[in-house]
Amino acid sequence: MPEAKNGVPADAVKLSRRERIERDGGEIEMPPFDEGEYLIAYLYELGPTVAAGMGAGPVTFSEMASWQAARGFELAPWEARLLRRLSVDYLAESHRATQRDCRPPWSGSVAVRVSHDRAAARALELFLA
């Protein structure tokens, strides 16, 4: 077994919040919203990020224009700006979420609490073993 650090297995330290929740059998919860669900679908169809140099980058307006041309429709300017902003925020959160103590971008997530509880129980088991 890999060496533990502060009671946390070494292989668990690099996991993102999403990976830890999925590993612990939880479901990823999304914050509720009333309108604009189609924009989230567009973001994931377009791709929330793009390959950029040695990592990922936010979606560019030129990539968005190519995607719109392939789909045969045109976004309103505010929709395009919002998709770009969502891509930037998605990328920032994906980097932030790799930190072990990263809190979800919204509060009250049951899956995150369950994952934290299970991680604490594992750490206690390692400590007492």
Side-chain angles (χ1 to χ4, degrees), residues 60-100:
T60 65
F61 287 111
S62 61
E63 289 162 331
M64 208 178 301
S66 296
W67 173 76
Q68 289 176 79
R71 288 285 316 268
F73 72 93
E74 188 173 326
L75 296 170
W78 71 267
E79 291 172 316
R81 288 190 307 273
L82 181 58
L83 284 177
R84 166 74 178 169
R85 175 60 190 262
L86 289 171
S87 177
V88 168
D89 290 348
Y90 179 95
L91 184 61
E93 183 62 23
S94 70
H95 288 293
R96 195 177 75 81
T98 61
Q99 300 301 312
R100 176 147 183 76

Side-chain angles (χ1 to χ4, degrees), residues 3 5 16 21 28 44 49 61-62 69 73-74 77 82 90 94 101 113:
E3 184 178 324
K5 179 179 180 181
S16 70
I21 290 170
I28 303 302
Y44 282 100
T49 63
F61 287 111
S62 61
F73 72 93
E74 188 173 326
L82 181 58
Y90 179 95
S94 70
D101 59 348
R113 285 195 307 269

